[in-house]
Amino acid sequence: MAVNGTPPPPPSLPAHPDPATDAILGSGLLHELAHAFGGPFHFLLPHRFDANLAAFRAALADAGVDGRVYYAKKANKAAAWIERCAAAGAGVDVASPGELREALGHGVRGENIVVTGPAKSEELLRVAALQGALTAVDSLDELDRLTAAPRAGGAPPPRLLLRVLPPAQPASRFGLDGAELEEALAHCARAGDAVRMEGFGFHLSGYAVQPRADLAGQLVDLCLKARVMGLQADRISIGGGFAVDYAAAGDWHSFLATQQPGHYHAHRRFTPADFYPYHSPVAGAGALRAVLAAVPAGGRDSLGSRLRETGTLLLMEPGRALLDRAGSSVFRIQGVKDRDGYAILTVDGTSLSLSEQWFNSEYLPDPVLLPPAGRAGGSRRTAATRVHPACAGGATCLESDLLTWRKIPFPVRPSVGDLLVYPNTAGYQMDSNESPFHDLPLPPKVVIDTLDDTPDDTPGGSADGTTRGGRPRWRLDRRPAC
């Protein structure tokens, strides 16, 4: 509420507390790296990826369901995640020849790769078949090309899933409609041992649990039908769509209720529908548990029960959910300009390295202000706390290049040389739209490694990937920024 004509302060949206990230913020390392790189950078926490992967696998095990987790590589280009998949025997979801080469080159076996995406190139289909990868066929033309391609001596038949057009999303550009699906099944049956038709999949937009369970139940029925036709059909893929919970429920709902154009630079207008759902009560592996427990429409048993009873494997391709709290993005403030009631910050990078802006939206979790002397203030503010609102723009000649249009309520006035640390950006934010615009270098990625030779229960050891009372150990990601 405004008091004596003073407008209410802009709303805050603090990210969930994260001890591993807090330890890095307090270590002094980030300012050293900012000086060394001379520009923005990202830091990665592979131990978080490992924990998220383990949580998805535990959800399958607890439900008694046989399944496979494939990391959706499009969510982040870093090699670190592919290396973790290779070490853990997890799969990788790719959609281009480059992504396929990266996965194979970092040790992922071809049989643990699934190839998705529409209208795949001849090169991608050829290499996928040679390496024994599983291909999600999206059209009849693609099926013809995959099954007609010549096979090298001793090469196994191509492995494929048939991707189904979701009946609830008939305008989707992904998948085979009913008539196309019937023709594809007949094609696979005629091909006999020349093809391995292993099942069905779908691409379903959104994060709702029940529609995903409903369509998965329909795919189980399709598997049973295909088996009668003599096809293997022993697995289904439910894709991704596992939300990430970035912020507490109260903070999120308060933000949505109070945000208004006056809280943004240039009175930029956003509606709640413009934003990612930064709070989700069912997220990550918890969302998988909910899908498995749901009863598909028209059925009596849970999806998990149906999968067990029919001997059907469950495949999934999470991206953002495997990267939850697995990295942050760091920018140095190189300019501060005062305006009426707020400041405009200019950082040493661009919004191309914080990709939500390029979806006509805003990455909402509050960035942390990190002066050289240490973290400014706390993550919470009270009504009596004085705030210093500021938006953050990029170092380009574009009016639209703002990392944050919102006037962030910082606890102290930002200054040149301070760092802005955007939390939990590993999933889709870091590099989906990166570009060396203005010949600015792409931000490198720094991997914060676990000290594997120091047990968690010994002095100096820590399960969060840092040393107790010491400094984090780091290296550059093995995939150079390019």
Side-chain angles (χ1 to χ4, degrees):
M1 176 182 296
V3 179
N4 297 327
T6 302
S12 178
L13 187 65
H16 282 302
D18 181 52
T21 298
D22 288 343
I24 294 166
L25 294 176
S27 69
L29 175 65
L30 299 185
H31 274 279
E32 292 184 12
L33 292 174
H35 174 75
F37 294 134
F41 62 94
H42 312 288
F43 67 82
L44 314 179
L45 303 174
H47 73 281
R48 285 291 193 197
F49 182 93
D50 295 343
N52 292 332
L53 174 61
F56 271 87
R57 287 174 160 174
L60 290 168
D62 291 348
V65 171
D66 193 4
R68 306 285 185 271
V69 181
Y70 296 83
Y71 163 60
K73 190 181 184 305
K74 62 181 179 288
N76 192 295
K77 298 174 186 173
W81 320 123
I82 308 303
E83 293 166 353
R84 301 315 302 154
C85 288
V92 178
D93 164 26
V94 305
S96 72
E99 288 187 338
L100 179 55
R101 286 193 296 269
E102 280 283 306
L104 292 168
H106 287 285
V108 179
R109 296 166 63 92
E111 65 195 50
N112 290 335
I113 295 173
V114 62
V115 181
T116 59
K120 301 165 192 67
S121 68
E122 296 290 348
E123 178 188 5
L124 182 55
L125 291 175
R126 176 179 59 82
V127 178
L130 286 173
Q131 297 298 324
L134 180 62
T135 298
V137 169
D138 197 66
S139 68
L140 292 174
D141 169 71
E142 196 167 87
L143 179 60
D144 290 339
R145 290 187 288 125
L146 183 63
T147 56
R151 288 161 52 192
R159 303 171 57 216
L160 63 91
L161 300 174
L162 296 178
R163 180 182 276 170
V164 177
L165 175 69
Q169 296 177 359
S172 172
R173 66 190 185 96
F174 299 106
L176 301 157
D177 65 23
E180 292 168 333
L181 190 61
E182 291 294 333
E183 187 173 343
L185 284 170
H187 181 125
C188 292
R190 288 193 303 270
D193 293 338
V195 65
R196 283 177 54 184
M197 204 296 283
E198 298 189 5
F200 301 88
F202 59 76
H203 179 280
L204 188 67
S205 298
Y207 301 101
V209 166
Q210 192 61 48
R212 200 164 297 274
D214 290 344
L215 190 46
Q218 294 175 35
L219 296 198
V220 173
D221 292 337
L222 284 173
C223 282
L224 298 179
K225 174 181 176 179
R227 292 175 197 175
V228 174
M229 299 172 67
L231 300 171
Q232 177 179 331
D234 62 359
R235 63 200 66 197
I236 64 171
S237 172
I238 60 173
F242 302 98
V244 164
D245 185 33
Y246 289 87
D251 293 331
W252 176 234
H253 296 309
S254 176
F255 177 90
L256 291 179
T258 58
Q259 68 96 22
Q260 56 184 269
H263 294 145
Y264 298 86
H265 172 67
H267 282 73
R268 178 76 182 268
R269 184 178 297 274
F270 292 102
T271 68
D274 293 325
F275 300 130
Y276 181 88
Y278 286 97
H279 169 70
S280 179
V282 180
L288 173 59
R289 291 179 182 273
V291 170
L292 290 168
V295 177
R300 292 179 299 176
D301 299 322
S302 69
L303 176 62
S305 295
R306 287 279 287 151
L307 293 168
R308 291 193 304 270
E309 292 167 359
T310 59
T312 304
L313 279 70
L314 182 67
L315 315 182
M316 67 214 67
E317 295 112 38
R320 190 191 298 255
L322 288 180
L323 298 171
D324 184 22
R325 308 192 200 189
S328 299
S329 299
V330 184
F331 301 85
R332 180 180 177 273
I333 298 173
Q334 60 185 28
V336 180
K337 181 179 292 185
D338 289 320
R339 285 294 181 263
D340 185 19
Y342 71 105
I344 300 175
L345 312 180
T346 299
V347 301
D348 58 357
T350 78
S351 58
L352 289 162
S353 298
L354 197 66
S355 298
E356 202 70 21
Q357 301 296 359
W358 294 84
F359 296 99
N360 198 33
S361 187
E362 176 98 339
Y363 187 69
L364 291 179
D366 292 347
V368 174
L369 184 66
L370 191 65
R375 184 170 184 172
S379 61
R380 299 275 168 179
R381 75 168 195 260
T382 66
T385 304
R386 183 183 176 191
V387 297
H388 300 261
C391 63
T396 73
C397 298
L398 300 176
E399 284 280 13
S400 60
D401 182 19
L402 273 87
L403 287 79
T404 303
W405 290 81
R406 182 164 56 101
K407 301 167 186 176
I408 303 294
F410 290 110
V412 300
R413 175 180 165 81
S415 300
V416 171
D418 294 349
L419 301 181
L420 285 185
V421 183
Y422 285 85
N424 203 0
T425 57
Y428 288 106
Q429 297 303 318
M430 289 182 178
D431 57 24
S432 292
N433 294 284
E434 64 182 0
S435 166
F437 189 51
H438 278 314
D439 280 338
L440 292 170
L442 297 181
K445 294 187 177 77
V446 174
V447 180
I448 308 295
D449 280 327
T450 342
L451 296 179
D452 295 327
D453 56 350
T454 308
D456 295 346
D457 58 354
T458 61
S462 173
D464 65 9
T466 63
T467 53
R468 294 196 185 109
R471 290 173 57 78
R473 185 176 70 177
W474 67 275
R475 62 173 174 84
L476 287 174
D477 184 62
R478 279 183 261 274
R479 185 187 192 277
C482 59

